[in-house]
Amino acid sequence: MPSCQLTHANRGVSRGISTPSDGTQGQETGTDTFRTAPAQQWVDTTTGRIATDPYSWMQAVHWVGGSGLYTPSRTYGPKWGPTTVLIAQEISALLECRPGVDYLARKLKLSRRTVQYHLDMLREAGLLVYRSKGTRLTGSLRVASVYERVIPTAFDEALGIRTLLRDENAPAYERVPVGMAEQGRKLIGKLAKKAARKVRRRGRKTASSGRGRCTPMQVGTSAVNSAGTSLVPPESKLAGGNQDCPTPKKPKRGQRKLNETGRRHQLARELVAAVPWLNGAAADRVAWAVRDVADAGWSVHEVQAHLGLADAPDQSVVRRPSALLTYRLKGVHLLIKTKAQRRNLVMAWQDRMLSRREERPGADWDLFGGGPSSGAVKRLFTEAARLSREFLAGDQPDAVEVAAGQTTVLEDLPRHVVIDMRRDAELDPAIIHSALDCGMPEADARRLYTNRLVDQALTAFSTDTRIDTYA
């Protein structure tokens, strides 16, 4: 019966097709007429037909690879090979032909550029055509391209496949095969075996596979060496088994030290969590704002102390907290250079917090977002603060006062008195500092208040002269 195959766009160019020794079709003249132009890589402009099933499409893929008719137009990048067939095999398994580049690269462990090169070759060979092209705009929703698996016209012509368009009003790419010439049956059988065989990616050679064997392999059954007799080495020359391993285990590394950039971002995250008016600010912007003080070695408490000595801004007015932070920290690392100055800055901030706490209960709520919003909770807190002040101002018979020059035996103090003194010292480290100034030995202070509280008091309240940084 006559063929209903459409004529090719380059029908005027003759291609001498012959059957090579391996059973696949080849090109005699070596011309590149098999390439599909970009304008014909769409479903509406293609001259091929849509594959009715993935199996037939894989036959066309193997035919294109073995025919030699197609060569890529690019002079760089990969050529047609097993990787192209591997990608085509993954595309044939998709229910909807929408192969994302990232998906194929992750599934086949290839680079994105390699996947893009092979997709270009499949389109240029006439095996894939666009149904809709995806978007790659930065900042918007990215959509993958939708393809159609197409069998090129050259495949039908080479194997003598007859096609028919069942509906006259349907587009030409919907024609279906209805018969095949006798000379193409042997070739289609070979292509069927290739399409049924799954292609797998070759594993990379490991470093151990290229090295020689430790023990030479002996081949043959003869015990006599043809090259002559060889003496067996004495026992003293044999290895004793104490040789070091060629690949010793590396010791586990500790926590990696932060570099300059990491230190800036760490300080930025701590400030965003500690300062109320920085809540919600971008950590990258805050890291840029604190770059100078972070490089100078400032801690989060020192930066918070510098910000706390100034009036807290109205959070409803601050539109960009990072800009306000940049303004307040500008040049402060040049004014406060030493650790002693930064320590005095923290002490001044702590004194201000204590004074605000003594002025009215719940004043420190302003530093942490304004406190509870419920009026009942505020009344309960105010009543508890009033009872605490009355208890501290009243007579306390269990209190122990250590005056200057007075010797007190620590073993004579009741247990509950020691517990109360440690609790008061933890709330107010100035008590330890006052006891040391009154003549209590440091060893007795450590026995009474514990080493941890004494170290905190000595660190927070140094005997060095305070430097007024805001003079």
Side-chain angles (χ1 to χ4, degrees), residues 271 277-278 282 284-293 303 306-307 320-333:
L271 283 175
W277 53 271
L278 282 177
D284 296 338
R285 291 180 178 271
V286 177
W288 183 86
V290 301
R291 66 190 185 283
D292 294 330
V293 293
V303 178
H306 172 72
L307 299 175
R320 181 170 290 182
S322 58
L324 179 61
L325 181 65
T326 305
Y327 173 75
R328 287 194 171 182
L329 294 181
K330 184 178 181 181
V332 67
H333 65 288

Side-chain angles (χ1 to χ4, degrees), residues 215-354:
T215 304
M217 297 182 63
Q218 296 181 359
V219 181
T221 58
S222 175
V224 180
N225 189 359
S226 59
T229 60
S230 60
L231 298 177
V232 179
E235 295 291 336
S236 59
K237 299 295 184 180
L238 297 178
N242 298 325
Q243 185 178 2
D244 295 336
C245 181
T247 56
K249 293 183 178 180
K250 297 182 180 179
K252 294 183 178 180
R253 298 177 57 184
Q255 187 177 4
R256 184 175 297 179
K257 187 177 181 182
L258 291 177
N259 55 8
E260 187 178 82
T261 305
R263 172 59 186 153
R264 294 176 182 178
H265 283 79
Q266 182 187 31
L267 182 59
R269 290 191 297 269
E270 293 174 351
L271 283 175
V272 170
V275 180
W277 53 271
L278 282 177
N279 187 15
D284 296 338
R285 291 180 178 271
V286 177
W288 183 86
V290 301
R291 66 190 185 283
D292 294 330
V293 293
D295 297 343
W298 285 50
S299 65
V300 61
H301 297 291
E302 293 168 351
V303 178
Q304 192 177 6
H306 172 72
L307 299 175
L309 290 176
D311 294 335
D314 188 2
Q315 299 187 23
S316 62
V317 178
V318 178
R319 296 185 178 179
R320 181 170 290 182
S322 58
L324 179 61
L325 181 65
T326 305
Y327 173 75
R328 287 194 171 182
L329 294 181
K330 184 178 181 181
V332 67
H333 65 288
L334 301 177
L335 181 63
I336 305 174
K337 299 180 180 179
T338 62
K339 293 183 178 180
Q341 292 176 330
R342 298 200 297 267
R343 184 168 58 250
N344 293 330
L345 184 66
V346 175
M347 293 166 60
W349 177 56
Q350 292 177 349
D351 293 342
R352 180 173 181 179
M353 291 179 62
L354 291 175

Side-chain angles (χ1 to χ4, degrees), residues 157-197:
E157 294 177 353
L159 276 73
I161 297 177
R162 298 184 296 273
T163 59
L164 177 65
L165 190 62
R166 299 188 184 277
D167 188 1
E168 297 180 357
N169 298 326
Y173 54 79
E174 292 186 0
R175 59 187 183 273
V176 293
V178 294
M180 179 186 297
E182 188 65 29
Q183 63 272 15
R185 296 185 181 275
K186 184 177 180 181
L187 178 57
I188 199 67
K190 294 184 178 181
L191 295 176
K193 293 181 180 180
K194 292 182 179 181
R197 185 171 56 248

Side-chain angles (χ1 to χ4, degrees), residues 38-205:
Q40 296 179 348
Q41 296 178 8
W42 292 82
V43 67
D44 296 331
T45 58
T46 181
T47 58
R49 57 181 175 88
I50 295 179
T52 56
D53 57 281
Y55 183 74
S56 301
W57 185 69
M58 285 303 300
Q59 289 179 333
V61 171
H62 284 286
W63 177 82
V64 171
S67 64
L69 295 177
Y70 168 72
T71 54
S73 59
R74 286 178 285 98
T75 58
Y76 55 90
K79 304 300 181 182
W80 187 287
T83 305
T84 313
V85 180
L86 182 64
I87 293 177
Q89 180 177 280
E90 290 295 329
I91 294 176
S92 65
L94 297 176
L95 183 62
E96 182 182 4
C97 192
R98 227 170 91 178
V101 176
D102 294 333
Y103 166 77
L104 293 176
R106 183 175 65 254
K107 181 73 178 295
L108 302 177
K109 297 181 180 180
L110 301 171
S111 64
R112 296 184 76 257
R113 180 59 64 185
T114 301
V115 174
Q116 291 173 354
Y117 280 150
H118 288 283
L119 288 178
D120 291 343
M121 286 190 288
L122 289 173
R123 291 196 305 268
E124 198 174 37
L127 295 168
L128 282 180
V129 294
Y130 285 113
R131 180 170 288 276
S132 64
K133 198 168 186 179
T135 58
R136 297 293 184 270
L137 298 178
T138 304
S140 62
L141 182 62
R142 297 189 176 188
V143 181
S145 299
V146 181
Y147 294 94
E148 285 290 348
R149 294 177 283 260
V150 176
I151 297 178
T153 308
F155 176 78
D156 294 337
E157 294 177 353
L159 276 73
I161 297 177
R162 298 184 296 273
T163 59
L164 177 65
L165 190 62
R166 299 188 184 277
D167 188 1
E168 297 180 357
N169 298 326
Y173 54 79
E174 292 186 0
R175 59 187 183 273
V176 293
V178 294
M180 179 186 297
E182 188 65 29
Q183 63 272 15
R185 296 185 181 275
K186 184 177 180 181
L187 178 57
I188 199 67
K190 294 184 178 181
L191 295 176
K193 293 181 180 180
K194 292 182 179 181
R197 185 171 56 248
K198 296 296 182 182
V199 179
R200 290 179 174 83
R201 190 184 178 195
R202 297 180 180 177
R204 297 181 179 179
K205 294 183 179 180

